[in-house]
Amino acid sequence: MFKTIANLQIGEKAFIEKLCLDNIPLKLLEMGCLPGIEVQLIQKAPMQDPLYIKVNGSHLAIRRETAEKITIVVK
Amino acid sequence: MLSNSELMSDDKVVKVALIGNPNTGKTSLFNQLTGLKQKVGNYPGITVEKKQGLCKLNNTIKAEVTDLPGTYSINPTSLDETLVLDTLLNEKNDSYPDVVVVVVEIENIKRNLLLFTQIKDLKIPTILVINMIDQMKRKGIDIDVKKLEESLNTKIVLASARKKIGIDELKSVILDYKKLDAIPISNITDRIDKEYFTKLKNAFPEFPLYKSWLLITQNNEFDFLNNQQKELVLKFREDLGCIKRYQHKETILRYQIINNVLKDSFKVDKSKASDLRGILDRILTHKIFGYVIFALILLFIFQGIFDWATYPMDLIDGAFASLSSWIKTVLPPGTFTNLIAEGIIPGIGGVVIFIPQIAILFTFISILEETGYMSRVVFLMDKIMRKFGMSGKSVIPLISGTACAIPAIMASRNIGNWKERLVTILVIPFTTCSARLPVYAILIALIIPDKQVLGILNLQGLTMMALYLLGFTAALLSAVLLNSTLKVKGKSLFVIEMPNYKIPSIKNIFYEVVEKTKAFIFGAGKIILAISIVLWFLASNGPSKFKNAEEFVTSKQENKELTESALQKKVASYKLEHSYIGYMGKSIEPAIKPMGYDWKIGIALISSFAAREVFVGALATIYNVDSDSENVGTIKQRMAAEINPDTGKKRFDFPTGVSLLLFYAFAMQCVGTLAIVKRETNSWKWPIFQLVGMGLLAYISAIIAFNIFS
Ligand SMILES: Nc1nc2c(ncn2[C@@H]2O[C@H](COP(=O)(O)OP(=O)(O)O)[C@@H](O)[C@H]2O)c(=O)[nH]1
Ligand SMILES: [Mg+2]
């Protein structure tokens, strides 16, 4: 099973998987979600959606459906 | 002979565009550069708001500065962002810049520079402003400006829009913009795929290569291209997979370049960082406290609109009433005096009275936006709003809708998903805008007793609250309905930035409030004033019966014994009945009778068709013409005294009042909103849909309410 950002616990850190380039929407890449970069889950809204993450110096909120597309490698 | 400076006068305006990520301080910088010399116009064609201002660079040369919407990259995903792209690609665009000022924020310089490198590749002269340097020490940041300038191939200005640092330096750099070089930072296209981009270059030899790349990667039609160019663009767009891959590659390469550049010239001492943000986030986005705090803030805002705003509003109301009476005593009686006292002054008063509420509401909203709290609200509300077919980003437009639907609908532009945006736009007019307030206020005062219940709550206040809730409920329910019936495709990514918390800047808030208030006064205000005057004219003129009113009434047997003033009153009311507007009101009377209205209320309905706030003013005009002219009094007194001849009871009794309240809660009576919906959705279909749908709902519920309560 792949792990994605949606599987992270609050406070947990991981790296965005190098190979998932095609799955990440361009806009997220532009906002700093790059393969190989560390990502941390900061907060989940009720019902686990959206997710508040910190990545590459940016603090972003993304919907669960998007988070599920970004596979990660846990440290 | 013309002097030298006059001859060159056309060259003396430098066009400057402020571009940058959201929240980097573009608007703050814009305010510092231009002060109050700002105007908000529209972009031709797409009619998105355009904020421009003049800035004096030296004694002879001025800069025309445009504040563009924030964007993370040059590849747009929403209407707001498309504007930036269009401004930069279309040389025929009015605001095509001579020089671009890219504003970046010191704390997130890495991501901010992505946009900078893209713009630089377009070969437009570019200045880099690193803003918020007042925060530099506190965050432990150290920048080697010289090195950064060299590696980014640009002129850098360190600035603080808040502390007024670097503004003069920026002006002098803008002044010398011709000395800036417009060379791209690195040959990024070669590193993506040399062969492909050589082909592209040969296809459009007239454009900078990166511009051609943007032309083929966007889905837009570009009107400024000729047919041959358009065809070429389409041809390149055929290989979509390839374009996508290269866009990804481009972004990664840009980040690599930026990382390399920053490695030597930008250092952060992590030990200086404080975790205030973390603590605040934990509280403000908490599962329970987060919502409690948001609810309290909303309550506080409504307190402001309902309670505090009533003091200045009462003052304004009273002032305009006495101004009218005073004018009548000083000017000689006649048509001209009447036009001023009964048409123009109440008309202006009807506009001015909204200022306190709009100003208070936008003060709150801009404080919430300035502090960074709004993004937390979006985060908290997104999932809930999605159940209603909207987005977390719809919350701000819906709250703004309580001031005025027009800016609220425009605020929905940053919702990237078209369906969510459309639903938001369609339901916004249900929220209780301030134009409904005077209608509600006067009707509530007439039909609900001014009593305390449960010790502290005021019955009239509670009714007002209930009407607000009714507006929101109607908005949400119709959103659910629209969401499940509308067949509109809309897929787009939801990403929002959670900015750091900031202490709001009073200056920014002030400018924002002034701008929004001005937009209302000159937008809706003009309509209100115009209608008031037309209304006065229609009420004080009429066909033959109107002209012979005096003779007819005086000659009537039963009126022979009346006193002079009573006779005058009879004449006036006969005149109103036979004026143009009287005939109009009478002609719709059969249709509105089921709701409990008579022809006089019909007049008010007709006139408030274009703007609901005109209701009160219209009734004022009607009863003013109707009453004897020396004793003007307040509108409320006049309405309370009105008797329904059919029943002998008060005209504005409970059933009629409730029916009117519901009608005004649901009906789409605002030409300004219809016009803006047409513009924002680019079709007449949606405003007509709103007009008919909301109208039917209003009509039916008013009839039901009237019959239940009578
Ligand atoms: N500390 C600090 N805050 C600033 C500075 N410039 C702007 N801000 C704040 O940053 C936030 C975003 O500013 P704004 O001008 O609205 O940014 P825009 O979205 O780029 O137009 C506001 O809260 C401003 O008060 C600055 O130089 N220093
Ligand atoms: Mg701004």
Side-chain angles (χ1 to χ4, degrees), chain A residues 26 30, chain B residues 74-75 85 89 118 121-122 188-189 192-193 196-197 200-201 204 207-218 222 233 236-237 239-251 254:
Chain A
L26 180 62
E30 290 174 338
Chain B
I74 211 160
N75 300 304
L85 182 73
L89 291 191
Q118 290 175 324
D121 283 357
L122 283 173
I188 202 158
T189 47
I192 302 173
D193 181 340
Y196 181 90
F197 280 93
L200 183 63
K201 192 179 185 120
F204 301 97
F207 295 142
L209 181 54
Y210 193 61
K211 177 167 172 172
S212 321
W213 173 239
L214 289 176
L215 292 177
I216 64 165
T217 51
Q218 311 304 321
F222 294 102
V233 165
F236 271 99
R237 280 185 194 169
D239 194 354
L240 207 63
C242 176
I243 287 181
K244 273 233 165 84
R245 224 166 334 116
Y246 288 167
Q247 276 185 315
H248 280 65
K249 207 162 167 195
E250 177 199 336
T251 311
R254 285 190 192 280

Side-chain angles (χ1 to χ4, degrees), chain B residues 21-28 131-132 134-135 160-162 370 502 505 508:
Chain B
N21 288 187
N23 281 308
T24 50
K26 293 174 299 302
T27 304
S28 312
N131 191 26
M132 307 203 191
D134 52 310
Q135 301 279 326
S160 165
R162 178 168 293 190
E370 276 269 311
K502 293 198 180 74
S505 134
N508 284 358

Side-chain angles (χ1 to χ4, degrees), chain B residues 14-16 57-58 61-63 98-101 125-127 154-155 157 168-182:
Chain B
V14 185
K15 288 190 175 167
V16 180
L57 296 174
N58 68 15
I61 304 182
K62 281 191 202 130
D98 295 315
V99 53
V100 173
V101 174
T126 306
I127 302 167
T154 189
K155 179 86 190 112
V157 178
D168 290 332
E169 192 193 340
L170 175 60
K171 285 186 192 171
S172 71
V173 177
I174 294 175
L175 204 57
D176 282 342
Y177 77 95
K178 286 196 173 130
K179 289 194 200 132
L180 297 168
D181 70 44

Side-chain angles (χ1 to χ4, degrees), chain B residues 162 291 354 401 421 465 491-492 553 594 667:
Chain B
R162 178 168 293 190
Y291 293 97
F354 291 112
R421 179 158 168 249
M465 194 78 187
K491 237 187 116 52
S492 103
V553 175

Side-chain angles (χ1 to χ4, degrees), chain A residues 30 52 56 58-59 61 63, chain B residues 73 75 110-111 277 281 496:
Chain A
E30 290 174 338
Y52 178 176
N56 217 348
S58 299
H59 295 77
R63 286 184 181 164
Chain B
S73 94
N75 300 304
K110 194 202 283 176
R111 193 197 59 213
R277 172 194 187 114
D281 268 341
I496 52 158

Side-chain angles (χ1 to χ4, degrees), chain B residues 18-32 51 67-71 103 105-106 130-135 138 159-165 366-367 369-372 499-509 512:
Chain B
L18 293 176
I19 300 183
N21 288 187
N23 281 308
T24 50
K26 293 174 299 302
T27 304
S28 312
L29 199 63
F30 176 75
N31 289 341
Q32 291 291 6
K51 235 161 99 174
D67 183 17
L68 287 161
T71 180
V103 185
E105 161 203 12
I106 194 144
I130 301 181
N131 191 26
M132 307 203 191
I133 54 153
D134 52 310
Q135 301 279 326
R138 215 165 57 83
S160 165
R162 178 168 293 190
K163 299 260 152 72
K164 273 200 174 177
I165 303 169
S366 65
I367 290 175
E369 266 174 357
E370 276 269 311
T371 51
N500 208 344
Y501 294 100
K502 293 198 180 74
I503 295 168
S505 134
I506 297 186
K507 190 166 180 160
N508 284 358
I509 294 168
E512 173 87 10

